[in-house]
Each structure stands twice: as C-alpha cells, then as structure tokens.
Amino acid sequence: MHDDLIARAQTWLAEDPDPDTRDELAKLIEAGDLAELADRFSGTLQFGTAGLRGELGAGPNRMNRSVVIRAAAGLAAYLKAGGHTDGLVVIGYDARHKSADFARDTAAVMTGAGLRAAVLPRPLPTPVLAFAIRNLGAVAGVEVTASHNPPRDNGYKVYLGDGSQIVPPADAEIAAQIESITSLHDVPRPENGWQTLDDAVLDAYLARTDEVLAPASPRTARTVYTAMHGVGRDTLLAAFARAGFPEPVLVAEQADPDPDFPTVAFPNPEEPGAMDLAFAKARETAPDLIIANDPDADRCAVAVKQGADWRMLRGDEVGALLAAHLVARGAQGTFAESIVSSSLLGRIAEKANLPYEETLTGFKWIARVDGLRFGYEEALGYCVDPEGVRDKDGITAALLITELASTLKEENRTLLDLLDDLAVEHGLHATDQLAVRVQDLSVIARAMERLRENPPTSLAGLPVTKAEDLTQGTDKLPPTDGLRYTLEGARVIVRPSGTEPKLKCYLEVVVPVKTPENLPAAHARANEVLESLKQDLSTAAGI
C-alpha cells in the first residue's frame, strides 16, 4: 500500500505541468507524509452537475492544472463525440488563485483538440460568460470559479450551447471521457491559437441589462454596494451608470478583487459577519438599500433598514419582491423556482394567472423550464432575463430590485411595506434554514439514513401529513438525494449540499394574516414554529 501510494504520487508528479504543485507534491513524497498523500490520492475530484469544485493543491483529489487539463480534454472529447468537431468554446474566469491558469489551460486543450476557443478579456462575472455562450453561438462554455467558497477552493463550471449548466446524463458522459484519459502527455496543448476576446462581448451584455428595466421607470433609489472581494464591481457600476441610477457607494475594503478574501471568514453574503462592513457603510451614508454580490457576481443579496438598524432580506423575500414587481409590470411567461424555495412564488403566479413550475435545486434545472420569464432560488440566485442569461445573474437582479425600491420610494414606501402587503394578500410565508457544516461527510450520510429509517410523524407539534423520499423521484421531479415533509401549515426539505460539506434543512411556515394589524402576531407565531422545527429536526436527524 505504501509503495503503491508513493508510486502513484511519483507518476502524477512526472506529469504535473505546474511548478507550484510539483514542488508541493515533491516535498510530501520526500517527507513520507503518507496520511496527506493518501488524502490526495484516495480518489479523484468527482465531475458532476456542478462541474468540479474543491481545495487547491497537488494530486487527483484537489483542484490543480493536471485535474483541469483532464476535465477540459474530457469535455472536448464529449463535444466532438456529439458532432461539434470545430465548435466554439467560450471560457470565463474569476479572480481566485489559479483561475487565469485554469482558463488558459482549457483554451489550449480545446485548441489542441481542433475546437475553437475564446477567453474573456479578464476576470468577469459568471453571468457575462453565460451570456457570451449564446451571444457568440458557442457549443459550450466553461467558467473557472468557486463562487462563494473559501479562499483555498476553486472550481470548474460547464455550460452547453443553450447557455445553461449541464444536467444528467451530460455530466456522467463527460466524466466517462475524463476517466478514459490515461496520461497528460496524450493531451495536445499548443502555446497559442485561441482568441482572447475584447470588450465587445461585455458591451453587448451591458446593453442587454437595460432591457430588464421598464422604460421611464423611476431611478432614484440610493445604494451601498459590496463586491465581497470579487469581480462584480466594474460591471455593476457600468450597468447602474447606463441605467441612470445614483452611483452606488462602495464598501471600499471589499471593492477590489482579492483571492484571499481578507475581511470575511466566508465570502458569501449569507454567512454571519460577511455583511458587517456594508452595514457600517450604510449607517454612515443612509442609503435606501444595500446590494451585495458574491465573488463571481451571479448571486445578489439585499439588505434594508428595519427600525434603527439594517437586516439582510432572505432570498425568498427578494424572490417574492421581484416576482410581485414583474407581475405589476405585466410580465408574461412561466415563473419557476427550486423545491427548496418559498411556496409564496406559486401563490403570486396563481393569482396573476401565470404558469408556475417547481424544479430540483440549482439553476441548471430552473433555466431549462419552458417559457421561463422569472426564476429564483432561496440561495440568493435570480434569473430576471432568461433570454439573455440562462443562469442566475447578480447584476441584472441588482438593477431590478433597485428599480422596485425606486418605484416604492416615489410612493413613500419601502421593500418591507411591499412584503407586508404580500403577507396580507397570500399569508405570511416565513422561511429559515438549518445548515450543519461537517468535517466528516459520513455525518451527513448517517443523518439522512436515520431520517429514512425513522421518518418523523410530527415536528414542532404539527403532524406530518406526507413524507417523501425524493431519491424515488415524483411525477414532476427526477430523483435526487433529499427528503420532503409536508406538515399542516409548514414544509421541511432535508438534503446534502451539492457544493459544500453541509447538510441543509429548508423550513417554511405559512401563517394566515387577516389584516395588517395581525402581522406582528403572525411573525411571532412563525418564528416560534421555525425555532421549534429546527430543534425537533436536529433531534430526529441526530445532528
């Protein structure tokens, strides 16, 4: 075992094109660090529907140039097997460690395989890449990003020619092509031959952002904006300037791209503390709302003044606000969301006589809904221009929510006032999440197994009226690893995260509201049930 491990590490070392990871691996071999080597060579990063995502480092179980070259070669082989022998592949990347290298390697592999490759001019938001695929008529796109993961991670997201992310069986077919690559020496990687795009594609994306706003709508809302050390700032500022909104006040400490994310523990607006600097800036400047992007700017977070201080709106609240705004503007088409998002969207769509669809988690599913007009999921992802970007887009979502805030401001109202109106009209839909981050993935497997073997019959004193194991699929959903419990006036979904070592439990409580005067009591009741759901679910899952 020991000799075999060292031999595999040495074979990998001999092929590794990156001096940084070669040096790192050589030191591990020299030190005889078998535990660390075993971790890195115990398997390979699995290519799935999120593409690849993992910690940077040497070895097949890490993100590095060798793993990326194999992934690119597998994607190229898959495209060629599908008849795209000389199609265009567009490649975008963020400002994380090694992102530019991974983008360049991908371009070289595509060129070597006889495909045409074009790389975006610099680190840009993920939605610009999703837009570029359709705009340039590409057969596929690759975005090098780990979104809002910790600084030590990177990732590799694959889109097909329709501009949406891969779904089964494409992921398994690409993975099989990756598996069949025995040696990197068999993968041609020319030094040049691909195109580096100029700003024309970014200009085309920015021109398209204008279309999410209503002509002659108010543009008066003032914002504080944080890019969370990512790549969103320049694109968002350009979009806001084109639209004629007041220039956002920047959170200076987080405005420049920085792969080390020095001011946050996790560069995700949902994580505790991530928005502290934005709140401090808002207390100084008194804007109408705070906008935050995650590092690759495909997500959009919104915070508002509530009483004396600021609070983040939940993704479900922003989803409902955007939906109500689009309905008020006369939007036509299907409204869609993932199963873990609030059922309020269905109520809004039903009242407006609009089609409504529920999908599995992820924009790879939401973006594929026929006739999509608006799609969202609770993890701060919103698709407000599906014809332009078939994915979540934190730039256009920011424009649309700022237009809504401006419209309400003209009426001396706020986003919170509109949320109250929606609660009175459709019932208070309160959502929360119980998320458990683990070091050991077997903890998640054990919790799921425990719930499957002993499904709860009641939670928070509410009887479970229906318990579904989603691995079986439903009449509307393909199979997925998840559990759904329907209760009287509540709903719970439990699933392992697809991108992080987390078990996620999504909770929703619906409390009828007769009049605006009943709202405080409804909020109090909803909070009480949500807390009780969390406690009972933790006990049932053993977490």
PDB file of all heavy atoms in Angstrom, residues 434 443-457 459 467-469 482-485 492-495 503-505 536-543:
ATOM      1  N   LEU A 434     -31.700  25.358   8.506  1.00  0.00           N
ATOM      2  CA  LEU A 434     -30.802  24.743   9.480  1.00  0.00           C
ATOM      3  C   LEU A 434     -29.697  24.105   8.643  1.00  0.00           C
ATOM      4  O   LEU A 434     -29.956  23.179   7.876  1.00  0.00           O
ATOM      5  CB  LEU A 434     -31.562  23.685  10.289  1.00  0.00           C
ATOM      6  CG  LEU A 434     -30.736  22.800  11.222  1.00  0.00           C
ATOM      7  CD1 LEU A 434     -30.119  23.612  12.345  1.00  0.00           C
ATOM      8  CD2 LEU A 434     -31.602  21.680  11.803  1.00  0.00           C
ATOM      9  N   VAL A 443     -21.060  11.990   8.475  1.00  0.00           N
ATOM     10  CA  VAL A 443     -22.068  12.549   9.403  1.00  0.00           C
ATOM     11  C   VAL A 443     -23.367  12.839   8.639  1.00  0.00           C
ATOM     12  O   VAL A 443     -24.475  12.578   9.115  1.00  0.00           O
ATOM     13  CB  VAL A 443     -21.537  13.843  10.074  1.00  0.00           C
ATOM     14  CG1 VAL A 443     -22.619  14.519  10.907  1.00  0.00           C
ATOM     15  CG2 VAL A 443     -20.309  13.525  10.931  1.00  0.00           C
ATOM     16  N   ILE A 444     -23.213  13.378   7.428  1.00  0.00           N
ATOM     17  CA  ILE A 444     -24.383  13.705   6.593  1.00  0.00           C
ATOM     18  C   ILE A 444     -25.106  12.424   6.178  1.00  0.00           C
ATOM     19  O   ILE A 444     -26.325  12.317   6.281  1.00  0.00           O
ATOM     20  CB  ILE A 444     -23.947  14.530   5.354  1.00  0.00           C
ATOM     21  CG1 ILE A 444     -23.436  15.909   5.798  1.00  0.00           C
ATOM     22  CG2 ILE A 444     -25.090  14.662   4.351  1.00  0.00           C
ATOM     23  CD1 ILE A 444     -22.884  16.770   4.681  1.00  0.00           C
ATOM     24  N   ALA A 445     -24.324  11.446   5.716  1.00  0.00           N
ATOM     25  CA  ALA A 445     -24.922  10.172   5.281  1.00  0.00           C
ATOM     26  C   ALA A 445     -25.693   9.513   6.416  1.00  0.00           C
ATOM     27  O   ALA A 445     -26.803   8.996   6.225  1.00  0.00           O
ATOM     28  CB  ALA A 445     -23.835   9.243   4.750  1.00  0.00           C
ATOM     29  N   ARG A 446     -25.113   9.561   7.632  1.00  0.00           N
ATOM     30  CA  ARG A 446     -25.773   8.935   8.792  1.00  0.00           C
ATOM     31  C   ARG A 446     -27.079   9.651   9.139  1.00  0.00           C
ATOM     32  O   ARG A 446     -28.076   9.023   9.478  1.00  0.00           O
ATOM     33  CB  ARG A 446     -24.837   8.930  10.009  1.00  0.00           C
ATOM     34  CG  ARG A 446     -23.843   7.782   9.999  1.00  0.00           C
ATOM     35  CD  ARG A 446     -23.254   7.535  11.386  1.00  0.00           C
ATOM     36  NE  ARG A 446     -22.613   8.711  11.964  1.00  0.00           N
ATOM     37  CZ  ARG A 446     -21.356   9.076  11.703  1.00  0.00           C
ATOM     38  NH1 ARG A 446     -20.624   8.380  10.850  1.00  0.00           N
ATOM     39  NH2 ARG A 446     -20.839  10.151  12.261  1.00  0.00           N
ATOM     40  N   ALA A 447     -27.054  10.993   9.051  1.00  0.00           N
ATOM     41  CA  ALA A 447     -28.273  11.767   9.360  1.00  0.00           C
ATOM     42  C   ALA A 447     -29.391  11.429   8.366  1.00  0.00           C
ATOM     43  O   ALA A 447     -30.549  11.223   8.759  1.00  0.00           O
ATOM     44  CB  ALA A 447     -27.966  13.263   9.334  1.00  0.00           C
ATOM     45  N   MET A 448     -29.048  11.335   7.069  1.00  0.00           N
ATOM     46  CA  MET A 448     -30.046  11.007   6.045  1.00  0.00           C
ATOM     47  C   MET A 448     -30.598   9.591   6.273  1.00  0.00           C
ATOM     48  O   MET A 448     -31.809   9.353   6.171  1.00  0.00           O
ATOM     49  CB  MET A 448     -29.432  11.111   4.640  1.00  0.00           C
ATOM     50  CG  MET A 448     -29.021  12.519   4.226  1.00  0.00           C
ATOM     51  SD  MET A 448     -30.387  13.719   4.115  1.00  0.00           S
ATOM     52  CE  MET A 448     -31.191  13.189   2.595  1.00  0.00           C
ATOM     53  N   GLU A 449     -29.685   8.673   6.611  1.00  0.00           N
ATOM     54  CA  GLU A 449     -30.084   7.279   6.844  1.00  0.00           C
ATOM     55  C   GLU A 449     -31.040   7.192   8.046  1.00  0.00           C
ATOM     56  O   GLU A 449     -32.067   6.501   8.017  1.00  0.00           O
ATOM     57  CB  GLU A 449     -28.820   6.448   7.117  1.00  0.00           C
ATOM     58  CG  GLU A 449     -29.048   4.949   7.140  1.00  0.00           C
ATOM     59  CD  GLU A 449     -27.749   4.199   7.413  1.00  0.00           C
ATOM     60  OE1 GLU A 449     -26.651   4.761   7.171  1.00  0.00           O
ATOM     61  OE2 GLU A 449     -27.840   3.068   7.891  1.00  0.00           O
ATOM     62  N   ARG A 450     -30.693   7.919   9.095  1.00  0.00           N
ATOM     63  CA  ARG A 450     -31.518   7.918  10.315  1.00  0.00           C
ATOM     64  C   ARG A 450     -32.933   8.427  10.024  1.00  0.00           C
ATOM     65  O   ARG A 450     -33.923   7.851  10.486  1.00  0.00           O
ATOM     66  CB  ARG A 450     -30.819   8.801  11.356  1.00  0.00           C
ATOM     67  CG  ARG A 450     -31.513   8.872  12.684  1.00  0.00           C
ATOM     68  CD  ARG A 450     -30.616   9.550  13.691  1.00  0.00           C
ATOM     69  NE  ARG A 450     -31.387   9.950  14.863  1.00  0.00           N
ATOM     70  CZ  ARG A 450     -30.884  10.073  16.066  1.00  0.00           C
ATOM     71  NH1 ARG A 450     -29.609   9.834  16.274  1.00  0.00           N
ATOM     72  NH2 ARG A 450     -31.635  10.446  17.082  1.00  0.00           N
ATOM     73  N   LEU A 451     -33.023   9.514   9.218  1.00  0.00           N
ATOM     74  CA  LEU A 451     -34.340  10.068   8.875  1.00  0.00           C
ATOM     75  C   LEU A 451     -35.129   9.106   7.984  1.00  0.00           C
ATOM     76  O   LEU A 451     -36.355   9.021   8.078  1.00  0.00           O
ATOM     77  CB  LEU A 451     -34.183  11.425   8.189  1.00  0.00           C
ATOM     78  CG  LEU A 451     -33.763  12.587   9.106  1.00  0.00           C
ATOM     79  CD1 LEU A 451     -33.364  13.798   8.275  1.00  0.00           C
ATOM     80  CD2 LEU A 451     -34.884  12.949  10.083  1.00  0.00           C
ATOM     81  N   ARG A 452     -34.411   8.380   7.110  1.00  0.00           N
ATOM     82  CA  ARG A 452     -35.111   7.431   6.229  1.00  0.00           C
ATOM     83  C   ARG A 452     -35.640   6.236   7.030  1.00  0.00           C
ATOM     84  O   ARG A 452     -36.722   5.734   6.759  1.00  0.00           O
ATOM     85  CB  ARG A 452     -34.162   6.940   5.121  1.00  0.00           C
ATOM     86  CG  ARG A 452     -33.948   7.975   4.037  1.00  0.00           C
ATOM     87  CD  ARG A 452     -33.249   7.442   2.802  1.00  0.00           C
ATOM     88  NE  ARG A 452     -33.331   8.448   1.737  1.00  0.00           N
ATOM     89  CZ  ARG A 452     -32.325   9.237   1.376  1.00  0.00           C
ATOM     90  NH1 ARG A 452     -31.143   9.126   1.956  1.00  0.00           N
ATOM     91  NH2 ARG A 452     -32.492  10.144   0.430  1.00  0.00           N
ATOM     92  N   GLU A 453     -34.842   5.796   8.015  1.00  0.00           N
ATOM     93  CA  GLU A 453     -35.247   4.630   8.792  1.00  0.00           C
ATOM     94  C   GLU A 453     -36.354   4.963   9.792  1.00  0.00           C
ATOM     95  O   GLU A 453     -37.224   4.136  10.062  1.00  0.00           O
ATOM     96  CB  GLU A 453     -34.036   4.025   9.520  1.00  0.00           C
ATOM     97  CG  GLU A 453     -33.104   3.287   8.562  1.00  0.00           C
ATOM     98  CD  GLU A 453     -31.828   2.806   9.236  1.00  0.00           C
ATOM     99  OE1 GLU A 453     -31.665   3.047  10.454  1.00  0.00           O
ATOM    100  OE2 GLU A 453     -30.998   2.201   8.540  1.00  0.00           O
ATOM    101  N   ASN A 454     -36.295   6.185  10.349  1.00  0.00           N
ATOM    102  CA  ASN A 454     -37.310   6.606  11.337  1.00  0.00           C
ATOM    103  C   ASN A 454     -37.890   7.966  10.959  1.00  0.00           C
ATOM    104  O   ASN A 454     -37.581   8.978  11.588  1.00  0.00           O
ATOM    105  CB  ASN A 454     -36.684   6.706  12.739  1.00  0.00           C
ATOM    106  CG  ASN A 454     -36.188   5.367  13.224  1.00  0.00           C
ATOM    107  OD1 ASN A 454     -36.963   4.448  13.406  1.00  0.00           O
ATOM    108  ND2 ASN A 454     -34.878   5.260  13.407  1.00  0.00           N
ATOM    109  N   PRO A 455     -38.706   8.028   9.904  1.00  0.00           N
ATOM    110  CA  PRO A 455     -39.243   9.330   9.500  1.00  0.00           C
ATOM    111  C   PRO A 455     -40.101   9.942  10.610  1.00  0.00           C
ATOM    112  O   PRO A 455     -40.883   9.211  11.249  1.00  0.00           O
ATOM    113  CB  PRO A 455     -40.083   9.030   8.256  1.00  0.00           C
ATOM    114  CG  PRO A 455     -40.194   7.557   8.160  1.00  0.00           C
ATOM    115  CD  PRO A 455     -39.181   6.924   9.063  1.00  0.00           C
ATOM    116  N   PRO A 456     -39.940  11.239  10.882  1.00  0.00           N
ATOM    117  CA  PRO A 456     -40.741  11.870  11.948  1.00  0.00           C
ATOM    118  C   PRO A 456     -42.225  11.866  11.596  1.00  0.00           C
ATOM    119  O   PRO A 456     -42.584  12.031  10.431  1.00  0.00           O
ATOM    120  CB  PRO A 456     -40.186  13.296  12.011  1.00  0.00           C
ATOM    121  CG  PRO A 456     -39.479  13.522  10.717  1.00  0.00           C
ATOM    122  CD  PRO A 456     -39.021  12.186  10.227  1.00  0.00           C
ATOM    123  N   THR A 457     -43.056  11.674  12.591  1.00  0.00           N
ATOM    124  CA  THR A 457     -44.513  11.713  12.368  1.00  0.00           C
ATOM    125  C   THR A 457     -45.088  13.079  12.731  1.00  0.00           C
ATOM    126  O   THR A 457     -46.172  13.444  12.307  1.00  0.00           O
ATOM    127  CB  THR A 457     -45.232  10.627  13.200  1.00  0.00           C
ATOM    128  OG1 THR A 457     -44.828  10.780  14.569  1.00  0.00           O
ATOM    129  CG2 THR A 457     -44.854   9.242  12.714  1.00  0.00           C
ATOM    130  N   LEU A 459     -43.516  17.329  13.757  1.00  0.00           N
ATOM    131  CA  LEU A 459     -42.413  18.277  14.008  1.00  0.00           C
ATOM    132  C   LEU A 459     -43.039  19.573  14.494  1.00  0.00           C
ATOM    133  O   LEU A 459     -44.039  20.028  13.927  1.00  0.00           O
ATOM    134  CB  LEU A 459     -41.605  18.529  12.723  1.00  0.00           C
ATOM    135  CG  LEU A 459     -40.790  17.358  12.153  1.00  0.00           C
ATOM    136  CD1 LEU A 459     -40.338  17.671  10.719  1.00  0.00           C
ATOM    137  CD2 LEU A 459     -39.572  17.067  13.027  1.00  0.00           C
ATOM    138  N   ALA A 467     -44.712  12.286   3.856  1.00  0.00           N
ATOM    139  CA  ALA A 467     -43.247  12.162   3.910  1.00  0.00           C
ATOM    140  C   ALA A 467     -42.786  11.561   2.586  1.00  0.00           C
ATOM    141  O   ALA A 467     -43.232  10.477   2.212  1.00  0.00           O
ATOM    142  CB  ALA A 467     -42.828  11.287   5.082  1.00  0.00           C
ATOM    143  N   GLU A 468     -41.911  12.273   1.853  1.00  0.00           N
ATOM    144  CA  GLU A 468     -41.456  11.802   0.542  1.00  0.00           C
ATOM    145  C   GLU A 468     -39.941  11.611   0.540  1.00  0.00           C
ATOM    146  O   GLU A 468     -39.204  12.489   0.977  1.00  0.00           O
ATOM    147  CB  GLU A 468     -41.807  12.825  -0.540  1.00  0.00           C
ATOM    148  CG  GLU A 468     -43.289  13.062  -0.738  1.00  0.00           C
ATOM    149  CD  GLU A 468     -43.537  14.298  -1.599  1.00  0.00           C
ATOM    150  OE1 GLU A 468     -43.482  15.415  -1.046  1.00  0.00           O
ATOM    151  OE2 GLU A 468     -43.756  14.137  -2.809  1.00  0.00           O
ATOM    152  N   ASP A 469     -39.502  10.468   0.043  1.00  0.00           N
ATOM    153  CA  ASP A 469     -38.079  10.240  -0.210  1.00  0.00           C
ATOM    154  C   ASP A 469     -37.830  10.569  -1.673  1.00  0.00           C
ATOM    155  O   ASP A 469     -38.277   9.856  -2.574  1.00  0.00           O
ATOM    156  CB  ASP A 469     -37.721   8.776   0.083  1.00  0.00           C
ATOM    157  CG  ASP A 469     -36.224   8.540  -0.029  1.00  0.00           C
ATOM    158  OD1 ASP A 469     -35.519   9.392  -0.626  1.00  0.00           O
ATOM    159  OD2 ASP A 469     -35.750   7.501   0.478  1.00  0.00           O
ATOM    160  N   GLY A 482     -32.805  13.613  -1.326  1.00  0.00           N
ATOM    161  CA  GLY A 482     -33.478  14.571  -0.452  1.00  0.00           C
ATOM    162  C   GLY A 482     -34.720  13.966   0.168  1.00  0.00           C
ATOM    163  O   GLY A 482     -35.232  12.937  -0.291  1.00  0.00           O
ATOM    164  N   LEU A 483     -35.201  14.590   1.226  1.00  0.00           N
ATOM    165  CA  LEU A 483     -36.419  14.170   1.919  1.00  0.00           C
ATOM    166  C   LEU A 483     -37.333  15.382   2.043  1.00  0.00           C
ATOM    167  O   LEU A 483     -36.867  16.483   2.358  1.00  0.00           O
ATOM    168  CB  LEU A 483     -36.076  13.643   3.318  1.00  0.00           C
ATOM    169  CG  LEU A 483     -35.136  12.428   3.354  1.00  0.00           C
ATOM    170  CD1 LEU A 483     -34.545  12.256   4.747  1.00  0.00           C
ATOM    171  CD2 LEU A 483     -35.885  11.169   2.928  1.00  0.00           C
ATOM    172  N   ARG A 484     -38.624  15.188   1.795  1.00  0.00           N
ATOM    173  CA  ARG A 484     -39.569  16.312   1.910  1.00  0.00           C
ATOM    174  C   ARG A 484     -40.718  15.909   2.836  1.00  0.00           C
ATOM    175  O   ARG A 484     -41.323  14.861   2.650  1.00  0.00           O
ATOM    176  CB  ARG A 484     -40.103  16.701   0.529  1.00  0.00           C
ATOM    177  CG  ARG A 484     -41.113  17.829   0.575  1.00  0.00           C
ATOM    178  CD  ARG A 484     -41.336  18.493  -0.777  1.00  0.00           C
ATOM    179  NE  ARG A 484     -41.836  17.595  -1.802  1.00  0.00           N
ATOM    180  CZ  ARG A 484     -42.102  17.965  -3.060  1.00  0.00           C
ATOM    181  NH1 ARG A 484     -41.882  19.221  -3.443  1.00  0.00           N
ATOM    182  NH2 ARG A 484     -42.556  17.097  -3.942  1.00  0.00           N
ATOM    183  N   TYR A 485     -40.965  16.761   3.819  1.00  0.00           N
ATOM    184  CA  TYR A 485     -42.065  16.528   4.765  1.00  0.00           C
ATOM    185  C   TYR A 485     -43.076  17.656   4.620  1.00  0.00           C
ATOM    186  O   TYR A 485     -42.728  18.829   4.743  1.00  0.00           O
ATOM    187  CB  TYR A 485     -41.549  16.487   6.210  1.00  0.00           C
ATOM    188  CG  TYR A 485     -40.468  15.450   6.428  1.00  0.00           C
ATOM    189  CD1 TYR A 485     -39.159  15.845   6.701  1.00  0.00           C
ATOM    190  CD2 TYR A 485     -40.747  14.091   6.334  1.00  0.00           C
ATOM    191  CE1 TYR A 485     -38.157  14.903   6.880  1.00  0.00           C
ATOM    192  CE2 TYR A 485     -39.752  13.137   6.514  1.00  0.00           C
ATOM    193  CZ  TYR A 485     -38.457  13.548   6.783  1.00  0.00           C
ATOM    194  OH  TYR A 485     -37.469  12.607   6.955  1.00  0.00           O
ATOM    195  N   VAL A 492     -40.832  21.017   5.200  1.00  0.00           N
ATOM    196  CA  VAL A 492     -39.416  20.821   5.519  1.00  0.00           C
ATOM    197  C   VAL A 492     -38.773  19.995   4.406  1.00  0.00           C
ATOM    198  O   VAL A 492     -39.353  18.980   3.983  1.00  0.00           O
ATOM    199  CB  VAL A 492     -39.243  20.070   6.865  1.00  0.00           C
ATOM    200  CG1 VAL A 492     -37.794  19.699   7.100  1.00  0.00           C
ATOM    201  CG2 VAL A 492     -39.780  20.912   8.023  1.00  0.00           C
ATOM    202  N   ILE A 493     -37.605  20.423   3.929  1.00  0.00           N
ATOM    203  CA  ILE A 493     -36.822  19.621   2.975  1.00  0.00           C
ATOM    204  C   ILE A 493     -35.421  19.457   3.546  1.00  0.00           C
ATOM    205  O   ILE A 493     -34.823  20.432   4.019  1.00  0.00           O
ATOM    206  CB  ILE A 493     -36.782  20.286   1.581  1.00  0.00           C
ATOM    207  CG1 ILE A 493     -38.180  20.261   0.963  1.00  0.00           C
ATOM    208  CG2 ILE A 493     -35.791  19.570   0.661  1.00  0.00           C
ATOM    209  CD1 ILE A 493     -38.309  20.979  -0.347  1.00  0.00           C
ATOM    210  N   VAL A 494     -34.899  18.237   3.506  1.00  0.00           N
ATOM    211  CA  VAL A 494     -33.555  17.944   4.007  1.00  0.00           C
ATOM    212  C   VAL A 494     -32.730  17.383   2.847  1.00  0.00           C
ATOM    213  O   VAL A 494     -33.176  16.452   2.163  1.00  0.00           O
ATOM    214  CB  VAL A 494     -33.604  16.904   5.156  1.00  0.00           C
ATOM    215  CG1 VAL A 494     -32.211  16.695   5.745  1.00  0.00           C
ATOM    216  CG2 VAL A 494     -34.586  17.333   6.238  1.00  0.00           C
ATOM    217  N   ARG A 495     -31.542  17.968   2.617  1.00  0.00           N
ATOM    218  CA  ARG A 495     -30.691  17.457   1.532  1.00  0.00           C
ATOM    219  C   ARG A 495     -29.229  17.786   1.802  1.00  0.00           C
ATOM    220  O   ARG A 495     -28.925  18.807   2.424  1.00  0.00           O
ATOM    221  CB  ARG A 495     -31.103  18.038   0.175  1.00  0.00           C
ATOM    222  CG  ARG A 495     -30.976  19.534   0.061  1.00  0.00           C
ATOM    223  CD  ARG A 495     -31.378  20.069  -1.305  1.00  0.00           C
ATOM    224  NE  ARG A 495     -30.329  19.941  -2.275  1.00  0.00           N
ATOM    225  CZ  ARG A 495     -29.345  20.831  -2.455  1.00  0.00           C
ATOM    226  NH1 ARG A 495     -29.270  21.917  -1.705  1.00  0.00           N
ATOM    227  NH2 ARG A 495     -28.432  20.651  -3.371  1.00  0.00           N
ATOM    228  N   LEU A 503     -25.025  19.675   5.549  1.00  0.00           N
ATOM    229  CA  LEU A 503     -26.388  19.148   5.469  1.00  0.00           C
ATOM    230  C   LEU A 503     -27.317  20.345   5.597  1.00  0.00           C
ATOM    231  O   LEU A 503     -27.171  21.152   6.522  1.00  0.00           O
ATOM    232  CB  LEU A 503     -26.658  18.153   6.604  1.00  0.00           C
ATOM    233  CG  LEU A 503     -28.066  17.529   6.587  1.00  0.00           C
ATOM    234  CD1 LEU A 503     -28.235  16.597   5.403  1.00  0.00           C
ATOM    235  CD2 LEU A 503     -28.350  16.781   7.880  1.00  0.00           C
ATOM    236  N   LYS A 504     -28.251  20.476   4.653  1.00  0.00           N
ATOM    237  CA  LYS A 504     -29.127  21.649   4.650  1.00  0.00           C
ATOM    238  C   LYS A 504     -30.579  21.226   4.864  1.00  0.00           C
ATOM    239  O   LYS A 504     -31.067  20.302   4.207  1.00  0.00           O
ATOM    240  CB  LYS A 504     -29.004  22.395   3.316  1.00  0.00           C
ATOM    241  CG  LYS A 504     -27.658  23.088   3.135  1.00  0.00           C
ATOM    242  CD  LYS A 504     -27.662  23.928   1.865  1.00  0.00           C
ATOM    243  CE  LYS A 504     -26.526  24.925   1.858  1.00  0.00           C
ATOM    244  NZ  LYS A 504     -26.566  25.785   0.663  1.00  0.00           N
ATOM    245  N   CYS A 505     -31.237  21.911   5.775  1.00  0.00           N
ATOM    246  CA  CYS A 505     -32.659  21.679   6.034  1.00  0.00           C
ATOM    247  C   CYS A 505     -33.392  23.000   5.767  1.00  0.00           C
ATOM    248  O   CYS A 505     -33.072  24.026   6.367  1.00  0.00           O
ATOM    249  CB  CYS A 505     -32.884  21.253   7.477  1.00  0.00           C
ATOM    250  SG  CYS A 505     -31.795  19.918   8.012  1.00  0.00           S
ATOM    251  N   ASP A 536     -36.630  20.134  16.711  1.00  0.00           N
ATOM    252  CA  ASP A 536     -37.161  18.776  16.511  1.00  0.00           C
ATOM    253  C   ASP A 536     -36.441  18.057  15.373  1.00  0.00           C
ATOM    254  O   ASP A 536     -36.206  16.850  15.442  1.00  0.00           O
ATOM    255  CB  ASP A 536     -38.667  18.831  16.219  1.00  0.00           C
ATOM    256  CG  ASP A 536     -39.474  19.219  17.448  1.00  0.00           C
ATOM    257  OD1 ASP A 536     -38.847  19.459  18.503  1.00  0.00           O
ATOM    258  OD2 ASP A 536     -40.705  19.299  17.356  1.00  0.00           O
ATOM    259  N   LEU A 537     -36.099  18.818  14.334  1.00  0.00           N
ATOM    260  CA  LEU A 537     -35.403  18.219  13.182  1.00  0.00           C
ATOM    261  C   LEU A 537     -33.978  17.799  13.565  1.00  0.00           C
ATOM    262  O   LEU A 537     -33.515  16.725  13.174  1.00  0.00           O
ATOM    263  CB  LEU A 537     -35.377  19.227  12.033  1.00  0.00           C
ATOM    264  CG  LEU A 537     -35.140  18.670  10.631  1.00  0.00           C
ATOM    265  CD1 LEU A 537     -36.159  17.591  10.286  1.00  0.00           C
ATOM    266  CD2 LEU A 537     -35.207  19.793   9.618  1.00  0.00           C
ATOM    267  N   SER A 538     -33.305  18.641  14.350  1.00  0.00           N
ATOM    268  CA  SER A 538     -31.955  18.303  14.836  1.00  0.00           C
ATOM    269  C   SER A 538     -31.993  16.991  15.616  1.00  0.00           C
ATOM    270  O   SER A 538     -31.140  16.113  15.428  1.00  0.00           O
ATOM    271  CB  SER A 538     -31.415  19.393  15.764  1.00  0.00           C
ATOM    272  OG  SER A 538     -31.180  20.566  15.048  1.00  0.00           O
ATOM    273  N   THR A 539     -32.999  16.858  16.465  1.00  0.00           N
ATOM    274  CA  THR A 539     -33.132  15.635  17.272  1.00  0.00           C
ATOM    275  C   THR A 539     -33.402  14.432  16.369  1.00  0.00           C
ATOM    276  O   THR A 539     -32.765  13.382  16.497  1.00  0.00           O
ATOM    277  CB  THR A 539     -34.286  15.796  18.289  1.00  0.00           C
ATOM    278  OG1 THR A 539     -34.046  16.978  19.053  1.00  0.00           O
ATOM    279  CG2 THR A 539     -34.388  14.606  19.203  1.00  0.00           C
ATOM    280  N   ALA A 540     -34.334  14.603  15.426  1.00  0.00           N
ATOM    281  CA  ALA A 540     -34.709  13.481  14.548  1.00  0.00           C
ATOM    282  C   ALA A 540     -33.528  13.020  13.692  1.00  0.00           C
ATOM    283  O   ALA A 540     -33.359  11.827  13.429  1.00  0.00           O
ATOM    284  CB  ALA A 540     -35.883  13.886  13.664  1.00  0.00           C
ATOM    285  N   ALA A 541     -32.697  13.983  13.250  1.00  0.00           N
ATOM    286  CA  ALA A 541     -31.569  13.647  12.367  1.00  0.00           C
ATOM    287  C   ALA A 541     -30.306  13.283  13.145  1.00  0.00           C
ATOM    288  O   ALA A 541     -29.325  12.813  12.567  1.00  0.00           O
ATOM    289  CB  ALA A 541     -31.284  14.825  11.427  1.00  0.00           C
ATOM    290  N   GLY A 542     -30.325  13.548  14.457  1.00  0.00           N
ATOM    291  CA  GLY A 542     -29.144  13.261  15.267  1.00  0.00           C
ATOM    292  C   GLY A 542     -27.973  14.168  14.960  1.00  0.00           C
ATOM    293  O   GLY A 542     -26.816  13.756  14.979  1.00  0.00           O
ATOM    294  N   ILE A 543     -28.267  15.452  14.660  1.00  0.00           N
ATOM    295  CA  ILE A 543     -27.178  16.393  14.326  1.00  0.00           C
ATOM    296  C   ILE A 543     -27.127  17.540  15.344  1.00  0.00           C
ATOM    297  O   ILE A 543     -28.106  17.883  15.950  1.00  0.00           O
ATOM    298  CB  ILE A 543     -27.328  16.987  12.903  1.00  0.00           C
ATOM    299  CG1 ILE A 543     -28.767  17.499  12.657  1.00  0.00           C
ATOM    300  CG2 ILE A 543     -26.950  15.961  11.863  1.00  0.00           C
ATOM    301  CD1 ILE A 543     -28.971  18.195  11.344  1.00  0.00           C
TER     302      ILE A 543
END
